[in-house]
Amino acid sequence: MSDSALKLYELIESKPEKVRALLNILIESPYFYLEDSEELFRFLNHHRKEFEEFFKVFYGWDLIMDSKCARVYKDKWYNDKISSSGREQFHFSKRDECIGFMCLLNFYEDQLVENNMSAEDKMNLKFRFGDFLKYCHNKFNGLFPENEDIYSAEYIRKNVLKPIMSELEKYRFIKLWKPDSSLGSLKADDYIYEALPALSHYNAARLSQALLQDLKDDSQATDINEESHEEPEENIENSADLNEGEGDRV
């Protein structure tokens, strides 16, 4: 038995509730944040090597952790009888959804710079939905200038951002701050979202490059299909690349 495995066994003997709580927390949701439980997060960080070896030896998973966020990552599915659609995983496959996610990553990085912040700051970045919508509207019109009449702000709100924002909340990338009832009824554009630390685990530049290459390939396929009067596919072929977190601070 390795030293790390032995130390984890000793931890289970001396701190059973903390070890049991952490093992459950790390698989109950995609990300475990410092603000979820500062005590348990710091306990995990202090005994990181022991937990890393536990997940690697018994599951083949990697424990990925920075100063504000922790998660376990698996790169292989063992039950091949379960299709990808039947698995509980963060995934966008439609072209516009992938672009919407790319927009969020780039918007997040731009806002950090504009507000003189970093991902390591104690307070997370907060942003107004209307500002993000405007950013997306400009980005879509820049990518598809020939379709400006289709990609209106209202179309992007309803058909792109509405479905992806709910998924991003579910998988703990963003958090909606409910409006103060004393302010009366607020428009959706004035809703405030918090960018959670998981966003910093994604390399916006790499994902943008991959997506833009897919769009280029898709455009070439569309030209061919128009000549043969076939409808182009709406899904991005390599969308899985857009859903793999890459932690620069890991």
Side-chain angles (χ1 to χ4, degrees):
M1 183 180 292
S2 69
D3 289 342
S4 294
L6 182 60
K7 288 181 180 179
L8 184 61
Y9 179 78
E10 292 172 351
L11 273 180
I12 294 173
E13 290 287 302
S14 61
K15 305 286 185 180
E17 289 303 318
K18 284 188 176 181
V19 173
R20 188 176 297 115
L22 277 169
L23 292 177
N24 277 276
I25 284 172
L26 287 167
I27 61 174
E28 284 175 349
S29 66
Y31 295 95
F32 172 43
Y33 294 132
L34 172 65
E35 64 183 33
D36 293 339
S37 171
E38 186 169 341
E39 179 186 5
L40 288 176
F41 193 92
R42 298 202 183 285
F43 182 81
L44 173 63
N45 188 51
H46 184 71
H47 299 286
R48 180 173 178 172
K49 287 185 178 180
E50 294 92 304
F51 282 94
E52 280 180 343
E53 181 154 335
F54 170 82
F55 282 110
K56 177 60 72 175
V57 170
F58 288 97
Y59 292 96
W61 299 352
D62 293 316
L63 173 63
I64 299 172
M65 189 173 188
D66 60 26
S67 62
K68 297 169 68 175
C69 177
R71 66 167 176 154
V72 287
Y73 175 75
K74 62 181 293 181
D75 61 2
K76 180 180 179 180
W77 292 86
Y78 288 86
N79 191 342
D80 56 11
K81 300 301 181 183
I82 301 177
S83 65
S84 58
S85 62
R87 294 170 181 158
E88 183 68 21
Q89 59 181 335
F90 173 66
H91 183 76
F92 292 130
S93 59
K94 292 183 178 179
R95 183 192 69 181
D96 288 356
E97 291 177 347
C98 292
I99 295 174
F101 182 52
M102 179 192 75
C103 286
L104 178 62
L105 295 176
N106 284 291
F107 177 76
Y108 168 69
E109 293 188 350
D110 288 352
Q111 287 295 299
L112 286 178
V113 174
E114 186 175 320
N115 290 279
N116 195 28
M117 296 178 66
S118 75
E120 289 82 11
D121 288 350
K122 183 177 181 179
M123 300 297 293
N124 295 325
L125 173 77
K126 293 185 177 68
F127 62 91
R128 180 176 166 271
F129 177 77
D131 294 333
F132 177 48
L133 173 60
K134 181 179 179 181
Y135 182 93
C136 289
H137 186 211
N138 291 335
K139 182 65 71 174
F140 270 89
N141 285 334
L143 290 171
F144 308 108
E146 71 282 3
N147 291 328
E148 285 189 13
D149 56 330
I150 296 176
Y151 288 112
S152 65
E154 192 56 36
Y155 177 91
I156 293 171
R157 179 203 305 275
K158 180 180 179 181
N159 296 286
V160 180
L161 297 188
K162 184 177 180 180
I164 74 167
M165 295 300 269
S166 61
E167 282 295 289
L168 292 168
E169 281 191 79
K170 174 182 176 181
Y171 287 98
R172 307 195 76 195
F173 287 91
I174 57 175
K175 175 182 177 181
L176 172 63
W177 283 81
K178 295 182 179 180
D180 188 339
S181 58
S182 65
L183 299 176
S185 178
L186 290 179
K187 295 181 179 179
D189 283 3
D190 293 322
Y191 284 7
I192 301 298
Y193 283 88
E194 179 180 355
L196 298 178
L199 285 177
S200 67
H201 282 215
Y202 282 73
N203 186 319
R206 186 181 74 86
L207 297 181
S208 296
Q209 183 179 13
L211 178 55
L212 292 175
Q213 181 60 50
D214 281 333
L215 291 176
K216 180 180 178 181
D217 295 342
D218 187 54
S219 176
Q220 293 173 347
T222 299
D223 292 339
I224 295 173
N225 288 330
E226 285 178 348
E227 292 177 4
S228 60
H229 304 289
E230 295 178 1
E231 290 296 323
E233 292 289 335
E234 292 185 356
N235 289 351
I236 293 293
E237 182 71 20
N238 296 320
S239 61
D241 293 339
L242 296 172
N243 301 292
E244 295 176 358
E246 183 170 278
D248 294 334
R249 278 165 287 279
V250 171

